[in-house]
Amino acid sequence: MPSIAITGSTGQLGRATVTHLLDRGVPAADLVALARTPAAADDLAARGVTVRAFDYDQPETLAPALDGVDRLLLVSGSEPGRRIPQHTAVIEAARTAGVGLLAYTSILNAETTRMQLAAEHQETERLIADSGLPAVLLRNGWYTENYTRTLDQTIEHGALVGAAASGRVGLAARDDYALAAAVVLAGEGHAGRAYELSGPAITLAELAATISTVAGREIPYRPLAPADYEQLLVGAGLPAPVAAIFADVDVQIDAGALEHDGDDLERLIGRPVTPVADTVRAALA
Ligand SMILES: NC(=O)c1ccc[n+]([C@@H]2O[C@H](COP(=O)([O-])OP(=O)(O)OC[C@H]3O[C@@H](n4cnc5c(N)ncnc54)[C@H](OP(=O)(O)O)[C@@H]3O)[C@@H](O)[C@H]2O)c1
């Protein structure tokens, strides 16, 4: 088996991807968990996975850490505004190290979306194309967990609040996207492909109805004007730029940015995506 490395392996998507690779029978000896904080990957090391330090902000250390790596999953950085220098450093290191396949977690509809959050993904896709590296784009839609993360507050508040009106958002569990990444990394024939990965698209009112059913109490969807939603988020303690990004997400949901007709995710993982109700149930458990 070629050697497979995963960045952000101590994060939720990266760790789940490593776990799926192991579950699918990829030998631990063929896996390299790249971590900003290697000690946080001790559990992976205990399973026989090689752990190496890999901080996107330390460009000179990256190519040596990719020594012997054939396939690399670049999990997009988690700090909007910092991702271009970070991703540039990783792509350059991959080239220097002679990586044979670079997989990147991009955003759904990257070719057309106007979402503010997408700009760095679009630029990263361009950088990857310019690098000449064989690559595969995993254009991930929204995690259902983006909504279930704050489910307690939603239920306490008695309503799901947002700024989208009747737009629909394709939702799948984070673990579905991780499994898709593992399938691509361990499989063949993915170089040059761009996968639009998403679950069935639903409105936020439909999401609220699912939450209501699972929670056993009525949690309606309460749409606000984008500016009011942004103010609400600032009032709840979010930094203003982050609140603006979240409001923009909902405006773009209404523009269709997070909805995609297609079954790339189901086909890659070989089963239906995790039902939204299951993720809601897990969050409430
Ligand atoms: N599609 C969606 O709905 C959605 C939602 C949220 C985020 N995302 C994107 O998808 C990515 C993965 O999601 P996730 O749920 O796994 O996020 P996460 O749990 O926050 O994990 C992010 C990972 O990136 C690593 N990282 C951040 N900055 C780094 C740096 N400078 N050098 C090396 N590693 C760095 C983190 O390292 P540490 O463990 O050391 O912190 C962590 O392992 C996110 O980073 C974000 O770009 C997508």
Side-chain angles (χ1 to χ4, degrees):
M1 197 54 213
S3 160
I4 301 173
I6 296 93
T7 75
S9 65
T10 51
Q12 298 166 93
L13 185 80
R15 182 180 294 276
T17 302
V18 175
T19 303
H20 279 301
L21 285 163
L22 290 168
D23 291 349
R24 295 176 71 78
V26 175
D30 293 338
L31 294 178
V32 180
L34 300 168
R36 174 163 57 176
T37 313
D42 279 352
D43 57 321
L44 297 175
R47 296 181 73 178
V49 175
T50 299
V51 176
R52 293 183 190 162
F54 200 83
D55 183 339
Y56 306 154
D57 290 321
Q58 297 192 33
E60 66 289 350
T61 65
L62 301 181
L66 296 178
D67 185 39
V69 168
D70 299 305
R71 300 177 180 184
L72 172 66
L73 174 64
L74 167 55
V75 171
S76 48
S78 48
E79 296 165 80
R82 298 240 348 101
R83 295 197 267 210
I84 295 307
Q86 293 178 335
H87 295 174
T88 300
V90 177
I91 294 163
E92 283 179 4
R95 252 183 44 166
T96 304
V99 165
L101 180 71
L102 173 65
Y104 172 65
T105 61
S106 186
I107 192 166
L108 192 69
N109 298 320
E111 278 170 25
T112 54
T113 180
R114 302 176 65 129
M115 189 178 289
Q116 286 173 27
L117 258 185
E120 289 172 304
H121 291 294
Q122 292 166 322
E123 178 62 17
T124 301
E125 288 198 5
R126 275 190 289 275
L127 292 166
I128 290 170
D130 290 349
S131 77
L133 280 165
V136 49
L137 302 171
L138 304 169
R139 292 183 176 147
N140 289 347
W142 249 214
Y143 305 158
T144 309
E145 287 87 346
N146 293 343
Y147 297 100
T148 59
R149 197 168 46 89
T150 48
L151 199 53
D152 285 353
Q153 288 117 286
T154 301
I155 290 173
E156 195 181 308
H157 185 69
L160 176 69
V161 182
S166 55
R168 300 188 320 149
V169 50
L171 296 177
R174 183 190 281 104
D175 197 60
D176 295 332
Y177 298 105
L179 177 54
V183 167
V184 164
L185 289 167
E188 301 300 332
H190 298 292
R193 306 289 303 270
Y195 294 109
E196 302 286 351
L197 303 175
S198 141
I202 60 173
T203 64
L204 294 188
E206 288 167 339
L207 173 62
T210 299
I211 292 171
S212 302
T213 303
V214 175
R217 58 176 280 207
E218 192 56 22
I219 308 291
Y221 176 54
R222 188 150 63 85
L224 300 178
D228 294 340
Y229 181 51
E230 199 175 318
Q231 279 315 304
L232 182 94
L233 295 176
V234 169
L238 256 65
V242 178
I245 285 174
F246 281 1
D248 176 66
V249 165
D250 279 15
V251 169
Q252 299 304 327
I253 285 175
D254 274 345
L258 285 178
E259 142 172 49
H260 190 89
D261 270 341
D263 59 357
D264 283 359
L265 183 52
E266 280 194 12
R267 279 193 299 107
L268 280 177
I269 66 179
R271 58 159 173 77
V273 303
T274 305
V276 170
D278 287 7
T279 306
V280 171
R281 206 169 289 116
L284 288 177

